[in-house]
Amino acid sequence: MLKLGGDIGDSSAWQGGLSALSAEVHDRASATSPPDTVAAFSGDSDLYVADFVYKWAPAGNPDQRNLKLQTEFFYRREQGDVALREGGSAALLGYKGRQSGWYAQAVYQFVAHWRAGLRYDRLTADNRLQVLETSGFSSSADAIAKSGFADRGHDPQRWSFMLDWSPSEFSRIRAQYNRDESRANASDDQWTLQYIMTLGSHGAHLF
Amino acid sequence: MSERIIFWLWCVLLLCPLGANASLRIFACEPEWGALAQELSGEAAVVYTATTAHQDAHHIQARPSLIAQARRADLVVCTGAGLESGWLPLVLRRAGNSRIQVGTKGFLAATNFVPLLERPRRLDRADGDVHAAGNPHIQMDPRNILRVAEALGQRLAEIDPQHGAGYHQRLEAFSQRWQAAMQRWQQQAAPLRGMPIVVYHRGWTYMNHWLGLRQLAELEPLPGVLPTSSHLAAILEGLKSQPARVIIRAPYQDPRPVQWLHEHTGIPALELPFTVGGNEHATDLFGLFDNTLQLLLEIGP
């Protein structure tokens, strides 16, 4: 893990980070295979994360106006085998998967107590499966579909917009709209109204 | 996998500053303590000041640059009494520097050496951002500056004994100049005694105490809570029967409520430097008080 950061003049500050995580996986079950099917992945899994934050406030005084830009990017690379069982049928699949997810958001406090924000989220997956051995499944395509490891050829994405008002440091009222395209053939319009409050003492804030 | 860990460890090691610098490194939370540390250490130290006069020292973010500076510091000089509780604990923890943690010789809280005013009788969030130990804005009474100077001079000699004699000399010289200046200020400010004032935030208590100014109202309805129109209207009403001579704010505070009250009452609005660097004349501690008194005297009692 590596974190770097600094100031740009009196008004701006930034921080960027990189991290990497590497794991050897033994028999990790798929969460999306059908209920009577067991699919277990074994192999190498590497995760890379990059993050960046930029903050601006006039003369470094955020009381009235300030801006925060923030983004994070996750990338996972996996390679190994998937062992599949369903009743008396069994198969061994070669698996090579690449998934990434990222978001970027901007929150601007345009006047004391009031903030507006915009955010975009996206997930992508490119998973390649190849049947190495099979007994009992009707076809390779059937075994691949039942493993739950195949990607669905759809990249979920979401746009969010919010406006919030903080009467004090201890409470916040937020109106938010999401255009959620998580599902392949339909999109959702979500409206939420939140009331957020803090009770008791709380420590100093992270950057 | 282990190769990857070693690779990242190398990255971290290479980016760490190597070895300690020859001169003492001082991290000052506010400009007044940065200026004082510079007066008392001269060439022997490098002083970094974490905030400017245009920032509210209550509301600072623990930025990466502050953490990097605290990591290298030999001495941290702050106000204390909870003024920096929103950010300093995090800076100290993240700095990973055992020399400057609270309770060690490398941490000096100025309010520990000054009798604090406005110690609250009860602690309740309903009273706003009150500080349990008392009002932390001690810097606008020059007698407090002298008290902190004595503590800081001794502390410098303690943590950097190699230059001990130099610190004692500088403290002696500063005390003499400061006492002479205080006599001058006291004479200049004599006509201001009893002057009725309105302030933005409860930041001038010690100055009022020193000069005998009479504070009639605060634009903040509660300490740390931004002025509201209903509160300003109440102040306006109160000023009709008991007028003030001036409305005072610090450079980092919003000028609009002050301007509003000025337009509705005709009482002059005044931006005082509040700390070193607050305006072009307040370039050091002497300039801070010279200029503050000059601006108050221009308005007159």
Side-chain angles (χ1 to χ4, degrees):
Chain A
M1 198 181 92
L2 178 71
K3 280 225 182 281
L4 286 176
D7 288 347
I8 309 166
D10 278 342
S11 301
S12 306
W14 63 276
Q15 179 174 276
L18 285 173
S19 36
L21 188 76
S22 181
E24 268 177 59
V25 180
H26 295 285
D27 293 337
R28 189 187 70 208
S30 160
T32 51
S33 53
D36 49 350
T37 309
V38 178
F41 165 71
S42 300
D44 289 326
S45 177
D46 298 318
L47 179 68
Y48 301 93
V49 185
D51 61 84
F52 184 79
V53 184
Y54 170 86
K55 291 185 181 183
W56 170 87
N61 182 357
D63 283 358
Q64 299 291 326
R65 285 185 304 143
N66 65 72
L67 173 71
K68 184 161 95 169
L69 304 177
Q70 182 178 331
T71 183
E72 278 182 274
F73 177 81
F74 289 76
Y75 175 69
R76 187 171 74 168
R77 199 171 56 183
E78 290 186 318
Q79 190 160 9
D81 298 329
V82 173
L84 180 65
R85 270 190 300 113
E86 184 197 37
S89 310
L92 186 67
L93 295 84
Y95 168 66
K96 214 172 178 180
R98 307 250 186 286
Q99 299 101 29
S100 68
W102 61 276
Y103 73 86
Q105 69 175 41
V107 177
Y108 181 53
Q109 178 173 310
F110 48 96
V111 60
H113 307 299
W114 287 89
R115 306 188 312 165
L118 187 67
R119 177 179 166 120
Y120 178 72
D121 298 74
R122 188 175 176 85
L123 295 172
T124 62
D126 177 13
N127 299 346
R128 307 271 165 91
L129 288 143
Q130 186 190 0
V131 176
L132 303 175
E133 296 164 26
T134 177
S135 68
F137 285 103
S138 60
S139 68
S140 294
D142 181 39
I144 287 171
K146 284 187 170 150
S147 74
F149 276 83
D151 67 68
R152 296 181 182 178
H154 166 68
D155 296 337
Q157 59 172 359
R158 180 175 61 189
W159 284 95
S160 313
F161 175 77
M162 73 91 182
L163 181 72
D164 69 21
W165 177 61
S166 309
S168 76
E169 286 155 308
F170 306 103
S171 63
R172 176 170 287 165
I173 294 168
R174 173 182 296 162
Q176 184 169 332
Y177 166 71
N178 299 334
R179 172 86 178 172
D180 191 339
E181 292 169 11
S182 295
R183 294 185 289 165
N185 6 341
S187 59
D188 297 307
D189 293 306
Q190 301 160 344
W191 294 90
T192 51
L193 190 64
Q194 301 165 51
Y195 176 65
I196 303 157
M197 66 177 214
T198 313
L199 287 176
S201 62
H202 67 292
H205 294 273
L206 294 165
F207 180 66
Chain B
M1 192 172 111
S2 56
E3 288 88 335
R4 191 164 284 150
I5 293 168
I6 290 165
F7 164 71
W8 286 118
L9 280 175
W10 266 111
C11 290
V12 172
L13 278 176
L14 288 173
L15 289 162
C16 279
L18 296 171
N21 205 301
S23 56
L24 199 69
R25 286 184 167 272
I26 302 176
F27 178 106
C29 282
E30 289 85 21
E32 62 271 22
W33 310 132
L36 186 60
Q38 199 66 74
E39 292 272 4
L40 298 181
S41 59
E43 302 282 295
V46 178
V47 179
Y48 170 79
T49 302
T51 61
T52 71
H54 297 277
Q55 291 177 308
D56 182 351
H58 299 91
H59 300 134
I60 300 296
Q61 292 184 327
R63 302 192 308 278
S65 58
L66 299 188
I67 294 164
Q69 288 290 343
R71 191 187 297 276
R72 285 183 279 171
D74 302 299
L75 174 65
V76 168
V77 186
C78 292
T79 298
L83 178 66
E84 302 98 349
S85 62
W87 53 281
L88 188 63
L90 195 69
V91 169
L92 294 182
R93 195 164 73 235
R94 286 285 178 101
N97 177 350
S98 59
R99 298 188 303 274
I100 53 156
Q101 299 301 315
V102 177
T104 65
K105 282 201 170 74
F107 182 86
L108 186 141
T111 46
N112 285 350
F113 304 94
V114 170
L116 295 188
L117 301 173
E118 291 174 352
R119 205 176 279 256
R121 252 177 253 113
R122 62 166 204 167
L123 285 176
D124 193 328
R125 272 296 175 200
D127 300 330
D129 289 345
V130 287
H131 299 281
N135 188 320
H137 304 289
I138 57 173
Q139 79 278 12
M140 286 313 296
D141 180 343
R143 296 169 298 185
N144 289 345
I145 299 288
L146 191 59
R147 290 178 178 123
V148 178
E150 277 159 11
L152 179 56
Q154 279 178 13
R155 186 66 66 87
L156 285 167
E158 236 176 290
I159 61 170
D160 185 16
Q162 215 184 322
H163 299 100
Y167 294 125
H168 284 301
Q169 259 170 20
R170 294 193 73 93
L171 173 61
E172 187 65 27
F174 175 78
S175 299
Q176 281 181 11
R177 282 174 65 212
W178 195 253
Q179 268 157 347
M182 281 207 295
Q183 274 191 351
R184 187 177 80 235
W185 292 326
Q186 222 117 11
Q187 280 170 6
Q188 284 175 345
L192 297 176
R193 190 154 290 278
M195 180 177 180
I197 62 167
V198 171
V199 301
Y200 186 104
H201 175 67
R202 201 175 285 176
W204 308 92
T205 303
Y206 295 86
M207 182 181 79
N208 300 345
H209 190 65
W210 171 51
L211 297 177
L213 308 184
R214 238 164 9 97
Q215 185 174 307
L216 302 182
E218 294 160 22
L219 301 194
E220 290 178 340
L222 295 167
V225 176
L226 296 179
T228 58
S229 49
S230 61
H231 184 66
L232 289 177
I235 292 175
L236 181 62
E237 200 52 40
L239 288 175
K240 280 180 186 159
S241 57
Q242 204 182 14
R245 280 295 296 139
V246 65
I247 310 161
I248 295 172
R249 74 174 178 92
Y252 68 85
Q253 288 155 350
D254 187 8
R256 289 170 301 178
V258 178
Q259 192 58 30
W260 183 89
L261 199 59
H262 161 67
E263 279 162 16
H264 286 76
T265 57
I267 298 171
L270 181 61
E271 180 186 314
L272 290 180
F274 193 58
T275 183
V276 174
N279 65 27
E280 56 191 348
H281 304 290
T283 49
D284 62 8
L285 286 163
F286 292 93
L288 169 65
F289 285 94
D290 279 333
N291 181 249
T292 299
L293 289 187
Q294 191 195 333
L295 291 170
L296 283 170
L297 285 163
E298 274 169 16
I299 287 172

